[in-house]
Amino acid sequence: MEENAWTWLFQLLGRLHPLIVHFPIGLLVVALFLEVLTIKGKRPGLREGINWMVYLGALFAILATLLGWLLRTFDDYSGELVQIHQNLGILTAVLSLIAAFLLRHTLAGKSNSLVAYRSFLLLSVIALSITGHLGASLTHGEDFLSSALPGNRDSYDDSKAEALLDQLNQLDSLSETDLDDLNLEVRAIFAHNCYQCHSENKQKGELVLENKRGVFKGGESGAVIIVGKPEESEIYRRITLPPNADGVMPKKGKVLKDNEIALIRLWIEKGAHWSDRALKVFPEAPLALTKPDLPKSTGEEHPIDKWVDAYFEKNAVDWPQVVDDKTFIRRSYLDIIGLLPQPESIDRFVTNLDPNKRSNLIDSLLNDTHNYTQHWLSFWNDLLRNDYSGTGFITGGRKQITDWLYKSLLENKPYDTMIKELVNPTPESEGFIKGIQWRGVVNASQRTEMQAAQNIGQSLMGVNVKCASCHNSFVSNLTLDQAYGFASIFADSVLELNRCDKPIGKMAKVNFLYPELGSVEADSLEGRLSKLSELMVKPENGRLYRTITNRIWERLMGRGIIEPLDEMDNTPWDGALLDWLAANFIDSGYDLKQLIRTIMTSKTYQLPGVNYKKLEQIKSPEYVFNGPVIRRMSAEQFTDAVSQIIAPVYYAAAYDPVEEEVSSNRIWHRERKSERDVLPDPGKRYFRHTFTLADNEIIKAKTLISVDHSYTFYLNGQKVSSGTDWRKVDKPEVTRFLDPGKNVIAIEGSNEGNIANPAGILFQMRIHQKDSLETMVESGSGQNWKSTDTAPHGDWRDKTFDDEHWEEVRNYGSKHWDMLLSFKFGDSIPSFARASLVRQHPFMKALGRPSRENVATSRDNQATLLQALELTNGAYFNKVLEEGAGTWLAEYDTNTENMVTSLYLKSLGRKPTKEEKDIMVAALGNSPDKEAVQDLFWATLLLPEFQFIY
């Protein structure tokens, strides 16, 4: 018998792999599920069935791996993806075999624990899942899962092929440009129908159709194209076979259309010309930006309204009436400064007869610089991946840009200048392109250089570089070469290309994604960044300005002109409107506030909110604009509104925009164990500080004090104040307690809890004496402050007490406590910390604030179960409501009618109806307690009228 006589048998056995591979999938996955049910000795009756599933699962995993090897060896499968799939299949078999062995070992009484076996069973299922996904990618294409997602659907339009065929058939001869167009359309047909089996990653039959070398090299059976002779070309023969014939291409039922087959035939007939132009498989927006002329046949005055009027006419939409004054002022306040208008502000606005009052309101809100900045800071923090805590900060692998960003927004820095400073950064703004230096080994697509390319592409240009940083993109025309060329701008050495985290031996060439804007080549990293920053802000780079314009429009209107926001090659619902806004933004001097003003002063912005029942209606390519989308308050807007109405949700912030020259370091008794400093144990500690004043008359003296957890403060032996909440800064007036000469501060501090935890005193006293003499006493570094952990004998608060044997305190720094915005002398101190200035907190996380480890260009506007649970049963939120209930009861006592009316005015901007008031007053009763008032708050804050921006 000939040596290869058994090949057919091996091929047959190999083709049983897809059948056999489903046995370990089912057996091992179900075994793991049942194993979970038996944890802690539960359901012992399942044990025997689980044992058999594990043994059989391991057996079939080994068999499936063997058959997979036969399929690859004796059939026409090759390529990198096939190799990875095979390796993971072997790993799955090995892990499942170990799990079966450990189970057998345990059942034989050689081990008392199932932990090792269960761990390997879990690892087996994880490896099995990844292997199965790669198998699906081999069978159905690498974008099998991602292509089903909204926005990732195949956007290939075969009508272009039909139109091109008609055009070329009318010509006697084809020019170089015609041949280029013909070749690019044929390559587009290959891309959408053939790459899933014939790419560099999956070379079925050793045929690659995604590049010139592969097409003309052919496959294992030889050349597939005979130039000028389509009938003799194997590829043409295959694509013209009947759908069910053996060898038909493509398989999976995706037979080519007649016009596509005709184009391929024409291409081969005309010499199979290969164009040097880049293949554009996916639609791509033009880079250049020109300002279109405003529509003339319209009765509207505002430029945006002119465009929308023409759009409405084209789509048979009638102009609705604009919203009333109360709706407008609430919407404007929330959109510009993120706060609710006060009842008196609403009354003044509603009764104002000035016809320009709406534009004047917008101007006044935009001029409220700090509130404007603190609201829009959240938008930019999401977009620029900036935060105050989280991954990377502890290890020094991440740097925030908050101070630079806040000041840029505060002074309304031109957008082109902001981009230059982000791309070619100063030390204050470099955190954006530095990204996150992850600990340990990371894949090639998460190098900091690639992060810079990904972040700039997504945040500033609306293009997905992430997909192309691993392989040629499945959702855009970007290639692996382009992604690495872009990343190389930020590298201090030459980068080697990695496909799916494997080096391919090719070095990247420095290049910008859009080389038509100019070259970024330079001899140094600094030189490349400088060139890139200049190229990016060119007015010719329409993509940069369309992207930010579209983001601002979406922020104010609830839906972008282009969706998704990061896919700026998608079709806009009105491209002319977007181009006009972007060009006008450039003409305004890149003024972000002017862009906001332009949108908000239009009648279009002032239309009633449109309610869509399903998210798909908003994101649909068939979307028709009818007005702003009704939006849910953001996490920060909701939090700040609660702080305005009920009680401060946060007192301390991670960033203080108006920080005074005051140390935020806290001191406490020094505690050491095993010869090292440790966190303080619970219990009382005693502190003293002696200072001397001049003999001048004491005119005024005031103190700021915050102690975690509680304290009693004495001055010269007399009790001054006490407190139990470190978030609330006490500010006692202490003039009468002070003496010229020697003075003693004594503080009894208490640390709560059952185990060691942070505790600290933050103290400052400002003393004014005659002849403009000012003295500042503060805890600061802890110098000359003494403490003891033993209850002292005698009057330790008195000047005459001898504290010689007390210890010097320890400076515990400020890392355990955020900055108290009210720890300042003065009158205009904020009553609460704006949510945008607070580090990530479980309450805001539940309401939808992202972690910002990745760029977040939009947030989910849909309510979640986690949000509902947090708002109804969350301990933190209930504590805020409880505190607010105490404050409101102190103000209104039993006057429940006034309490209900005030709550409605502050939260909804209107008085309650008679029915609403009667229900609320009855629920409160004649003598309301804290719990009843909390219920009143809760019922009001959960109303859609409060939570939504209409």
Side-chain angles (χ1 to χ4, degrees):
M1 185 175 289
E2 296 180 5
E3 184 180 353
N4 62 353
W6 294 97
T7 299
W8 69 269
L9 179 59
F10 293 142
Q11 281 184 330
L12 176 62
L13 291 173
R15 293 181 184 185
L16 292 176
H17 170 73
L19 170 65
I20 299 300
V21 78
H22 290 88
F23 287 100
I25 293 175
L27 290 167
L28 293 176
V29 170
V30 174
L32 178 62
F33 173 73
L34 296 178
E35 191 66 55
V36 171
L37 298 181
T38 66
I39 291 176
K40 295 185 178 180
K42 297 178 180 178
R43 303 175 181 85
L46 296 177
R47 182 78 270 153
E48 186 174 357
I50 295 173
N51 299 345
W52 279 107
M53 285 185 181
V54 173
Y55 297 148
L56 290 174
L59 175 64
F60 279 111
I62 296 169
L63 181 58
T65 301
L66 177 62
L67 296 180
W69 178 82
L70 291 174
L71 180 64
R72 183 188 178 193
T73 304
F74 293 95
D75 224 312
D76 52 356
Y77 287 90
S78 61
E80 185 177 25
L81 191 60
V82 177
Q83 182 64 54
I84 297 172
H85 176 62
Q86 178 178 284
N87 292 343
L88 281 170
I90 295 171
L91 175 63
T92 302
V94 171
L95 290 172
S96 61
L97 185 62
I98 294 173
F101 172 78
L102 290 172
L103 175 61
R104 180 81 175 172
H105 190 73
T106 304
L107 295 176
K110 297 179 181 180
S111 173
N112 296 324
S113 174
L114 292 168
V115 172
Y117 144 69
R118 286 170 172 167
S119 299
F120 273 92
L121 179 59
L122 175 62
L123 290 174
S124 301
V125 172
I126 292 172
L128 182 64
S129 302
I130 299 172
T131 308
H133 169 67
L134 294 178
S137 297
L138 285 169
T139 305
H140 303 288
E142 291 180 69
D143 61 343
F144 181 57
L145 284 179
S146 61
S147 63
L149 299 174
N152 285 359
R153 296 188 182 278
D154 194 337
S155 54
Y156 175 62
D157 184 3
D158 73 291
S159 62
K160 291 174 58 181
E162 188 172 359
L164 180 64
L165 183 64
D166 291 340
Q167 174 189 332
L168 298 181
N169 280 336
Q170 296 174 21
L171 302 176
D172 295 329
S173 61
L174 302 186
S175 66
E176 186 77 14
T177 301
D178 294 330
L179 291 172
D180 279 354
D181 292 341
L182 175 58
N183 172 243
L184 290 173
E185 193 59 39
V186 168
R187 285 157 63 184
I189 294 170
F190 287 166
H192 288 277
N193 296 279
C194 309
Y195 283 6
Q196 65 181 27
C197 292
H198 302 290
S199 65
E200 291 287 354
N201 281 337
K202 182 184 179 183
Q203 302 171 15
K204 190 171 183 180
E206 299 181 13
L207 176 63
V208 175
L209 294 178
E210 67 175 340
N211 54 52
K212 181 178 181 179
R213 177 187 55 81
V215 169
F216 289 102
K217 176 186 175 184
E220 62 183 6
S221 59
V224 294
I225 292 176
I226 307 298
V227 175
K229 300 177 180 179
E231 285 81 4
E232 298 179 22
S233 299
E234 181 67 13
I235 194 167
Y236 181 75
R237 185 187 73 81
R238 293 286 192 99
I239 64 177
T240 53
L241 288 173
N244 296 320
D246 290 338
V248 64
M249 291 175 60
K251 291 188 176 180
K252 317 280 187 275
K254 296 181 180 179
V255 180
L256 296 184
K257 297 181 175 64
D258 290 343
N259 55 8
E260 294 171 331
I261 294 173
L263 269 178
I264 295 173
R265 176 189 176 91
L266 181 62
W267 173 63
I268 298 173
E269 276 182 353
K270 298 299 181 181
H273 168 78
W274 196 272
S275 173
D276 292 330
R277 283 159 47 190
L279 172 63
K280 304 293 185 183
V281 176
F282 298 90
E284 195 168 293
L287 186 64
L289 175 65
T290 56
K291 190 173 187 177
D293 294 331
L294 290 170
K296 293 182 172 58
S297 58
T298 175
E300 301 298 330
E301 295 183 3
H302 195 285
I304 290 178
D305 298 334
K306 289 179 179 289
W307 289 111
V308 173
D309 188 54
Y311 175 86
F312 277 174
E313 184 175 349
K314 177 182 176 183
N315 289 276
V317 178
D318 294 326
W319 276 97
Q321 290 293 317
V322 298
V323 295
D324 60 35
D325 283 343
K326 286 187 176 181
T327 302
F328 178 81
I329 187 174
R330 188 176 192 271
R331 184 189 292 181
S332 299
Y333 262 75
L334 287 169
D335 279 344
I336 297 179
I337 64 173
L339 298 172
L340 293 173
Q342 294 297 323
E344 53 271 21
S345 299
I346 297 174
D347 286 342
R348 282 196 303 270
F349 185 73
V350 171
T351 57
N352 188 348
L353 300 179
D354 186 347
N356 297 317
K357 66 180 181 181
R358 293 195 175 190
S359 59
N360 292 338
L361 173 67
I362 291 168
D363 289 338
S364 68
L365 292 173
L366 289 170
N367 289 329
D368 185 357
T369 53
H370 275 289
N371 278 323
Y372 161 83
T373 300
Q374 289 172 28
H375 170 56
W376 282 87
L377 188 65
S378 293
F379 168 85
W380 290 99
N381 278 340
D382 288 359
L383 187 63
L384 300 180
R385 198 188 189 186
N386 181 57
D387 215 338
Y388 314 107
S389 62
T391 303
F393 285 113
I394 296 175
T395 60
R398 186 177 180 187
K399 183 178 179 182
Q400 61 172 290
I401 61 172
T402 307
D403 195 55
W404 171 86
L405 180 56
Y406 193 96
K407 291 172 180 175
S408 297
L409 296 176
L410 191 68
E411 66 186 56
N412 196 31
K413 186 178 290 181
Y415 184 63
D416 63 331
T417 304
M418 288 180 66
I419 297 304
K420 285 183 181 181
E421 293 176 3
L422 285 169
V423 174
N424 184 26
T426 63
E428 292 75 25
S429 62
E430 67 181 359
F432 175 61
I433 66 168
K434 292 285 185 183
I436 300 178
Q437 183 71 52
W438 302 102
R439 298 181 70 182
V441 179
V442 297
N443 62 46
S445 65
Q446 281 302 301
R447 292 181 54 137
T448 53
E449 300 93 341
M450 190 61 78
Q451 287 183 52
Q454 294 168 356
N455 294 344
I456 289 176
Q458 182 181 0
S459 298
L460 308 181
M461 306 285 285
V463 60
N464 184 343
V465 181
K466 285 186 179 179
C467 190
S469 63
C470 188
H471 44 68
N472 290 347
S473 176
F474 300 137
V475 296
S476 73
N477 295 315
L478 281 184
T479 64
L480 187 66
D481 282 357
Q482 287 177 293
Y484 269 87
F486 189 20
S488 295
I489 299 174
F490 311 98
D492 51 15
S493 60
V494 180
L495 297 181
E496 181 182 5
L497 272 68
N498 279 251
R499 181 183 290 112
C500 298
D501 211 31
K502 283 195 173 184
I504 62 174
K506 182 177 181 181
M507 309 312 288
K509 295 180 180 179
V510 174
N511 204 3
F512 184 39
L513 294 178
Y514 305 97
E516 53 265 50
L517 291 173
S519 171
V520 292
E521 292 189 28
D523 295 331
S524 66
L525 172 61
E526 293 75 15
R528 292 195 296 273
L529 294 179
S530 178
K531 284 191 171 183
L532 176 62
S533 68
E534 295 295 335
L535 290 185
M536 282 194 61
V537 300
K538 282 184 174 182
E540 296 91 332
N541 184 9
R543 193 175 193 102
L544 177 73
Y545 301 111
R546 287 191 195 98
T547 300
I548 186 59
T549 300
N550 191 53
R551 294 196 192 285
I552 299 295
W553 179 279
E554 188 272 343
R555 180 78 170 191
L556 298 172
M557 307 291 278
R559 202 262 190 203
I561 300 175
I562 293 178
E563 285 284 345
L565 300 179
D566 298 335
E567 301 293 341
M568 288 300 291
D569 289 315
N570 287 354
T571 304
W573 59 259
D574 195 323
L577 168 61
L578 179 59
D579 279 5
W580 186 90
L581 277 169
N584 191 65
F585 174 55
I586 294 173
D587 293 344
S588 74
Y590 312 95
D591 188 330
L592 288 165
K593 283 190 175 181
Q594 181 58 38
L595 175 58
I596 294 170
R597 186 185 191 281
T598 300
I599 296 172
M600 291 185 64
T601 53
S602 69
K603 186 168 76 172
T604 302
Y605 171 80
Q606 300 172 38
L607 294 177
V610 181
N611 185 25
Y612 292 91
K613 294 184 178 180
K614 295 183 179 179
L615 181 64
E616 291 77 12
Q617 294 175 283
I618 302 173
K619 303 299 182 183
S620 168
E622 286 75 41
Y623 167 82
V624 175
F625 177 79
N626 285 279
V629 176
I630 293 175
R631 293 165 282 145
R632 184 182 297 275
M633 281 184 183
S634 69
E636 292 86 348
Q637 286 171 326
F638 181 87
T639 300
D640 288 342
V642 173
S643 295
Q644 281 183 275
I645 302 165
I646 310 299
V649 179
Y650 302 107
Y651 288 88
Y655 175 75
D656 185 352
V658 288
E659 185 177 0
E660 296 180 356
E661 294 298 322
V662 178
S663 173
S664 57
N665 292 335
R666 290 177 180 259
I667 60 169
W668 198 254
H669 180 71
R670 186 169 196 171
E671 308 206 9
R672 293 176 64 82
K673 293 180 181 178
S674 302
E675 298 185 352
R676 64 186 182 91
D677 290 321
V678 295
L679 287 174
D681 282 327
K684 288 185 177 182
R685 305 293 183 269
Y686 305 88
F687 304 85
R688 280 173 57 91
H689 176 68
T690 302
F691 63 98
T692 304
L693 295 177
D695 291 334
N696 303 42
E697 179 188 350
I698 300 170
I699 300 171
K700 185 179 181 182
K702 194 171 186 178
T703 301
L704 305 175
I705 183 168
S706 162
V707 179
D708 182 6
H709 168 254
S710 62
Y711 77 96
T712 304
F713 165 39
Y714 303 90
L715 187 54
N716 293 330
Q718 301 180 72
K719 181 178 177 180
V720 178
S721 65
S722 60
T724 58
D725 189 344
W726 72 270
R727 304 170 306 160
K728 299 175 182 178
V729 178
D730 293 320
K731 302 181 179 183
E733 227 284 346
V734 294
T735 310
R736 65 188 179 90
F737 298 100
L738 290 169
D739 301 319
K742 182 179 179 181
N743 293 268
V744 172
I745 295 168
I747 298 175
E748 179 185 294
S750 179
N751 188 21
E752 67 169 0
N754 298 314
I755 60 173
N757 64 95
I761 295 172
L762 185 61
F763 181 93
Q764 189 173 42
M765 182 189 296
R766 179 179 288 172
I767 307 161
H768 295 278
Q769 294 179 268
K770 195 173 181 180
D771 299 328
S772 302
L773 185 62
E774 180 177 297
T775 303
M776 190 75 76
V777 181
E778 59 182 7
S779 52
S781 63
Q783 188 174 4
N784 297 325
W785 284 73
K786 291 186 173 184
S787 67
T788 180
D789 59 354
T790 305
H793 299 291
D795 193 353
W796 63 278
R797 297 156 293 199
D798 193 72
K799 294 180 187 181
T800 60
F801 183 80
D802 183 9
D803 60 14
E804 182 181 354
H805 298 293
W806 286 28
E807 302 175 37
E808 291 289 329
V809 299
R810 181 190 173 198
N811 176 9
Y812 276 83
S814 59
K815 68 178 182 179
H816 297 295
W817 304 271
D818 283 334
M819 290 176 276
L820 292 167
L821 302 187
S822 58
F823 197 83
K824 297 181 180 71
F825 295 105
D827 299 323
S828 57
I829 306 299
S831 59
F832 62 91
R834 293 291 299 269
S836 63
L837 305 176
V838 176
R839 70 181 75 244
Q840 181 66 297
H841 183 269
F843 178 67
M844 280 198 289
K845 186 176 182 180
L847 295 184
R849 174 168 147 176
S851 68
R852 294 170 180 155
E853 290 180 7
N854 298 300
V855 170
T857 56
S858 60
R859 298 186 187 181
D860 190 356
N861 200 36
Q862 304 297 306
T864 66
L865 178 60
L866 180 60
Q867 290 175 16
L869 291 174
E870 184 65 36
L871 293 178
T872 54
N873 294 305
Y876 188 85
F877 186 54
N878 282 332
K879 188 176 180 181
V880 173
L881 297 185
E882 182 182 1
E883 180 183 337
T887 304
W888 278 61
L889 280 172
E891 180 176 354
Y892 293 99
D893 195 20
T894 59
N895 194 340
T896 53
E897 287 198 12
N898 282 358
M899 183 186 292
V900 171
T901 300
S902 180
L903 179 61
Y904 266 65
L905 286 172
K906 290 180 178 181
S907 57
L908 307 179
R910 64 173 178 85
K911 292 181 179 180
T913 64
K914 184 179 184 304
E915 183 182 6
E916 288 170 333
K917 180 185 284 190
D918 291 344
I919 292 172
M920 294 295 189
V921 169
L924 288 170
N926 295 326
S927 299
D929 56 14
K930 275 190 178 183
E931 188 173 340
V933 177
Q934 281 180 257
D935 289 341
L936 173 65
F937 292 158
W938 178 80
T940 306
L941 297 179
L942 292 188
L943 287 172
E945 187 179 352
F946 176 78
Q947 292 201 18
F948 286 86
I949 304 173
Y950 287 91

